[in-house]
Amino acid sequence: MRDLDYVAAVTATTGGGAVWLGGVAMPNRRLVLRWLRRQALRLADGHGRDLPAASPWLRAGDVGQVTFHGTDAPEGLRAWAGDDGLQDDALRALECGLPALLTVVNPAVGLRVTLAGWPVRPDQRSTGHRSAGDRSAGNRGAGDRYRLPAFAGCRGA
C-alpha cells in the first residue's frame, strides 16, 4: 500500500460550528491541489443550480452543494481556481510543509467555506493528521491581497 502524504478537506463554518463537507488523502501535492481546485469550481458552479457531474476518478469523492447568498463567495472560488499564480503559491506552500488554505466568506449569513490541503508528516500517517491551522500561512482567497508570502527558506521557491 502506498503512503498518502497529503490530505485535503473542505469545511463550512457558521455561527453554530463547523461542518465537514468532504476530503481526500493523496500521494502528492499536485493531486491535492487539483482536487481542491475542482472542489472550488464545483462549489462556485453549483451556486443556484445543480452541481456538475461527480469525478469519474473513484478515490476523489466530491463535496456536496453549498447555497451561497450573493455572488462574492462563488466569484472568489472561481478567481482562486483560475489564477495560475495563486495555484503556484499553493504548490510552494505545500512543498515547504505548510498548508494551502482558501477561505471565502458569505457575510449575508455568516458562512465561511474553507478549502485546505496540507502535508502529513511520516509520524502522523497512522495516527491521523494535524489541524489545517497548524503552522498556517494564513487564510487565502482570490486577488493580490490573498497571495501567499514568498517562501525564501524553502527549496524550489
Side-chain angles (χ1 to χ4, degrees):
M1 182 174 163
R2 183 177 181 160
D3 286 331
L4 298 173
D5 297 325
Y6 293 85
V7 293
V10 179
T11 58
T13 307
T14 62
V19 176
W20 172 269
L21 298 178
V24 294
M26 299 283 185
N28 67 61
R29 63 186 175 271
R30 290 192 184 279
L31 290 176
V32 161
L33 187 60
R34 181 176 165 186
W35 185 84
L36 288 170
R37 182 178 180 276
R38 175 175 171 76
Q39 301 320 303
L41 292 171
R42 283 178 53 80
L43 289 168
D45 292 347
H47 173 61
R49 56 182 184 267
D50 292 333
L51 283 170
S55 173
W57 190 28
L58 182 60
R59 288 181 20 165
D62 290 319
V63 300
Q65 185 172 0
V66 172
T67 301
F68 296 106
H69 300 272
T71 59
D72 290 346
E75 287 174 5
L77 290 165
R78 276 190 205 94
W80 178 81
D83 187 317
D84 290 339
L86 291 174
Q87 300 297 305
D88 289 343
D89 290 345
L91 275 175
R92 280 194 298 277
L94 292 171
E95 181 180 9
C96 291
L98 297 170
L101 301 172
L102 167 70
T103 297
V104 294
V105 179
N106 187 356
V109 293
L111 174 68
R112 300 172 70 85
V113 176
T114 300
L115 291 82
W118 62 97
V120 178
R121 295 189 310 235
D123 61 331
Q124 294 173 321
R125 287 191 185 121
S126 61
T127 60
H129 57 271
R130 70 172 177 210
S131 165
D134 292 351
R135 292 179 41 205
S136 171
N139 287 339
R140 308 296 177 223
D144 288 335
R145 65 179 183 207
Y146 299 103
R147 286 198 183 273
L148 292 172
F151 297 103
C154 180
R155 286 178 278 144

